[in-house]
Amino acid sequence: MTTHTSYWKAETHPPALEPVSRSMETDILVIGGGITGVTTAYLLQQAGREVMLIEGKTLGAGVTSSTSGHLTPAFDSHYYQLIQDFDLNTARQIYQAMTAAIDTIEHITQQELLDCNFKRIPGYLYAEIENQLEELEKEFTASLDVGMNAQWADQLPLPFRTQKGIIYHHHAQFHVLRYLYGLAQKLVEKGARLYVQTRAVQVSEEEDKVRVSLENGHTLTARQVVMATHAPLGLNPIQTEVAPYRSYVMAAKVKKLPEEGLYWDLYDPYHYTRRAQYKGQDVLIVGGCDHKTGQKTDTKQSYAALQQYINSRFGLEEVLFSWSGQVFEPVDGLPFIGKSPFQKNTYIATGYSGDGLTWGTAAAHILTDLITAHDNPLVDIVSPNRMNVMASAKDFVKENINVAYHFVKDRLSVDADTLKDIAAGEGKIIRHQGKQMAVYCDEHGHYHALDPVCSHMKCIVQWNSAEKTWDCPCHGGRFSWTGENLDAPPLHRLKPIDLKVE
Ligand SMILES: Cc1cc2nc3c(=O)[nH]c(=O)nc-3n(C[C@H](O)[C@H](O)[C@H](O)COP(=O)(O)OP(=O)(O)OC[C@H]3O[C@@H](n4cnc5c(N)ncnc54)[C@H](O)[C@@H]3O)c2cc1C
């Protein structure tokens, strides 16, 4: 049976936490309870700082529970590209930081006795077809140049035909939510204040403090705020430097399992595969089929394509779980971690691509070092205030032309002419009563209308058929069909419209 939820949420239970129930002050406030927020709170607490963390939903409810759980220092946009766009020294520092992040996860797991199945296993990057070989060779050379423990492989332990590959030693896998929940529990035991169901709706800097207004009417005041919300909340110049993409994952029983390892290929978008355990059985977690958020309505087709991929390579027996999540692709390949542009006491961390478990942990180190005034060699390299025109120009122009195109085109277009064109279970943008509206027709035939203008930067949201959500094609804001916020950056919900049905 397919359950449309992430594998990681099955058989795991978050620590019991309450919402904020009064206005309070703290030294450092972390907003967001994913891997970035919880790890940052942990490292700051270890450094002796007073930390409070708020999470809008439940811990790990964001992309951290949509992941596939690979821990790899292999760089998502490839090291050969990084060396070309920056230089070898930068690439080496990135590799070292990502390796150190995985070591941190291993160390915390051992130190805090976290039961999260952390295991060192090999990683494999492979070419499935001949015309991917040249890129594979370039990446092999670059991998050795940055210092990776890599080996050329003529054969791969996969149950289907491939060309060559690279074996990376000492990668790792773990159960991400068991790790996150265990770490949060330790934080609470050591005196940090953690709250859930507590959404920030405004973050404003004052003289020497930051004021955070909450949806429930209370206010939190901190000396420093870390926005660990995957994308910075509200309007932030960094949003023009990262582009939102959705990626699809399935956990499935298959006929032919590969050897234990992390696998990813060289297609664009690429597929990624690892093994996991479910009810005492070996299963496979496979992901891929990415597309830009809000720019594909028939997202059921993405699940179908992934299912077809799994069947053709591994022999599909049963899909146990299927889910999707968002990644933010930075225009120059590197994430943005550090002080938010034009702010004194607000920090951000975003643009991790598909390596956010490693980057989220590296970000926790960088932000802790920045806040506690310790040196960190990555501060300038990943600074949100950096300027690398050469590396970013092409993708910056491409992504922002795409945003401008949707800003204009989507205002002028509708998916249907009348309410009757919307089938039960479907959503469409229509023009009704002289207004453009986002209308969802529920299973009972009742219509639910929303103002389709995204509360972030006023683009028009688009229907996502598989998730039954309204997704913004510009900066990745997402909303439920009732209009509630799902993914940052928007701070506010979509406004309901009182629909008159003739
Ligand atoms: C399909 C998929 C597969 C992936 N696979 C891998 C992988 O194998 N390896 C890897 O390293 N990375 C992978 N990634 C990337 C990685 O999972 C993410 O980059 C990482 O989990 C991001 O963590 P985060 O803590 O920054 O964000 P999140 O986990 O999204 O946490 C942000 C939190 O902030 C909360 N929040 C948002 N707005 C507010 C608000 N206004 N007030 C309060 N709280 C708020 C959200 O509810 C959320 O819980 C994958 C991503 C996807 C989508």
Side-chain angles (χ1 to χ4, degrees):
M1 186 199 54
T2 305
T3 29
H4 213 58
T5 179
S6 144
Y7 156 85
W8 310 107
K9 290 183 184 160
E11 301 173 333
T12 49
H13 305 284
L17 298 169
E18 298 289 321
V20 165
S21 59
R22 63 190 168 89
S23 296
M24 288 183 278
E25 290 194 8
T26 180
D27 180 12
I28 295 162
L29 176 68
V30 176
I31 308 175
I35 193 151
T36 307
V38 172
T39 317
T40 304
Y42 177 82
L43 294 184
L44 283 165
Q45 191 190 51
Q46 295 284 95
R49 304 298 290 263
E50 183 206 1
V51 188
M52 184 189 288
L53 181 148
I54 57 165
E55 160 57 48
K57 297 180 210 135
T58 53
L59 291 181
V63 188
T64 297
S65 58
S66 305
T67 191
S68 50
H70 295 216
L71 291 176
T72 166
F75 187 64
D76 217 49
S77 323
H78 297 142
Y79 280 112
Y80 78 84
Q81 193 65 49
L82 188 62
I83 296 169
Q84 193 176 305
D85 290 346
F86 290 80
D87 53 58
L88 181 58
N89 190 37
T90 303
R92 282 193 178 139
Q93 285 181 296
I94 296 295
Y95 165 63
Q96 281 156 15
M98 293 178 87
T99 303
I102 300 172
D103 292 346
T104 294
I105 294 174
E106 183 172 33
H107 175 75
I108 291 177
T109 300
Q110 289 165 355
Q111 179 93 0
E112 302 292 357
L113 304 174
L114 305 182
D115 177 16
C116 66
N117 302 344
F118 180 95
K119 191 172 179 188
R120 289 285 181 180
I121 53 169
Y124 301 90
L125 171 67
Y126 62 94
E128 199 179 300
I129 50 175
E130 217 173 310
N131 67 9
Q132 295 167 346
L133 280 173
E134 193 186 329
E135 188 173 16
L136 187 74
E137 278 163 21
K138 279 201 276 185
E139 188 58 2
F140 181 56
T141 308
S143 301
L144 295 176
D145 286 347
V146 298
M148 289 183 92
N149 186 350
Q151 224 179 307
W152 188 254
D154 288 330
Q155 301 266 317
L156 287 135
L158 280 164
F160 55 88
R161 217 174 112 77
T162 55
Q163 301 287 329
K164 321 272 179 198
I166 306 171
I167 310 173
Y168 293 112
H169 300 285
H170 216 50
H171 282 22
Q173 66 180 23
F174 70 153
H175 189 299
V176 64
L177 284 191
R178 285 201 201 155
Y179 174 80
L180 190 86
Y181 294 162
L183 192 55
Q185 184 63 44
K186 295 290 169 186
L187 262 166
V188 174
E189 285 166 17
K190 291 174 190 194
R193 290 177 284 173
L194 270 64
Y195 299 95
V196 293
Q197 308 298 347
T198 300
R199 260 182 54 76
V201 289
Q202 198 180 354
V203 180
S204 43
E205 288 216 344
E206 294 175 2
E207 193 61 13
D208 279 320
K209 51 188 172 189
V210 189
R211 199 177 286 278
V212 176
S213 311
L214 306 178
E215 198 171 41
N216 64 16
H218 300 298
T219 302
L220 301 174
T221 313
R223 287 208 306 138
Q224 279 143 326
V225 164
V226 175
M227 276 198 219
T229 45
H230 199 220
L233 296 172
L235 295 181
N236 192 300
I238 290 305
Q239 279 139 10
T240 60
E241 312 258 355
V242 294
Y245 284 78
R246 293 201 71 72
S247 191
Y248 294 78
V249 192
M250 284 178 176
K253 285 191 204 165
V254 295
K255 294 194 186 91
K256 297 172 277 179
L257 281 165
E259 271 181 24
E260 203 165 45
L262 309 177
Y263 299 87
W264 64 108
D265 64 26
L266 278 163
Y267 288 106
D268 183 16
Y270 65 91
H271 303 94
Y272 42 97
T273 302
R274 58 160 277 192
R275 282 164 58 157
Q277 285 267 311
Y278 183 62
K279 296 192 190 262
Q281 261 199 319
D282 287 318
V283 299
L284 211 56
I285 295 181
V286 185
C289 302
D290 309 13
H291 62 81
K292 205 160 176 201
T293 300
Q295 301 193 12
K296 179 171 185 173
T297 294
D298 185 8
T299 48
K300 287 180 188 160
Q301 192 269 334
S302 303
Y303 282 114
L306 184 60
Q307 188 162 329
Q308 208 270 329
Y309 170 83
I310 299 173
N311 191 37
S312 63
R313 305 308 194 276
F314 303 100
L316 179 64
E317 283 189 335
E318 184 186 356
V319 176
L320 299 163
F321 299 92
S322 54
W323 67 97
S324 70
Q326 192 137 294
V327 292
F328 281 96
E329 297 291 348
V331 287
D332 66 2
L334 288 178
F336 296 90
I337 302 164
K339 208 169 264 193
S340 185
F342 313 118
Q343 307 287 316
K344 261 195 326 187
N345 292 308
T346 307
Y347 296 82
I348 59 171
T350 190
Y352 297 156
S353 294
D355 300 323
L357 301 177
T358 327
W359 271 121
T361 308
H365 274 296
I366 295 163
L367 296 173
T368 301
D369 286 341
L370 272 170
I371 289 170
T372 58
H374 283 86
D375 288 341
N376 185 308
L378 246 61
V379 164
D380 291 334
I381 296 175
V382 296
S383 166
N385 295 291
R386 70 175 179 265
M387 199 59 188
N388 187 327
V389 179
M390 287 305 282
S392 63
K394 191 168 86 333
D395 282 354
F396 180 87
V397 171
K398 185 186 94 185
E399 296 296 0
N400 285 291
I401 284 181
N402 178 276
V403 166
Y405 168 76
H406 277 276
F407 185 86
V408 176
K409 185 208 95 179
D410 296 345
R411 277 193 152 57
L412 306 173
S413 49
V414 291
D415 305 325
D417 295 328
T418 66
L419 287 172
K420 292 201 171 48
D421 295 331
I422 311 173
E426 242 181 23
K428 284 193 192 294
I429 299 290
I430 66 162
R431 195 165 292 281
H432 184 67
Q433 297 160 354
K435 270 197 225 143
Q436 198 180 24
M437 300 179 184
V439 182
Y440 170 66
C441 177
D442 69 22
E443 307 300 336
H444 308 288
H446 299 136
Y447 298 109
H448 304 263
L450 298 164
D451 182 346
V453 178
C454 176
S455 59
H456 176 233
M457 282 181 78
K458 314 284 179 227
C459 289
I460 303 296
V461 294
Q462 301 294 313
W463 182 241
N464 175 335
S465 65
E467 320 296 340
K468 293 195 190 307
T469 56
W470 294 107
D471 297 357
C472 179
C474 292
H475 302 102
R478 295 181 60 247
F479 306 86
S480 67
W481 58 262
T482 47
E484 272 94 37
N485 294 73
L486 295 175
D487 283 334
L491 283 161
H492 302 286
R493 52 163 296 138
L494 293 181
K495 290 187 208 122
I497 293 180
D498 192 12
L499 195 64
K500 291 182 185 61
V501 184
E502 287 101 36

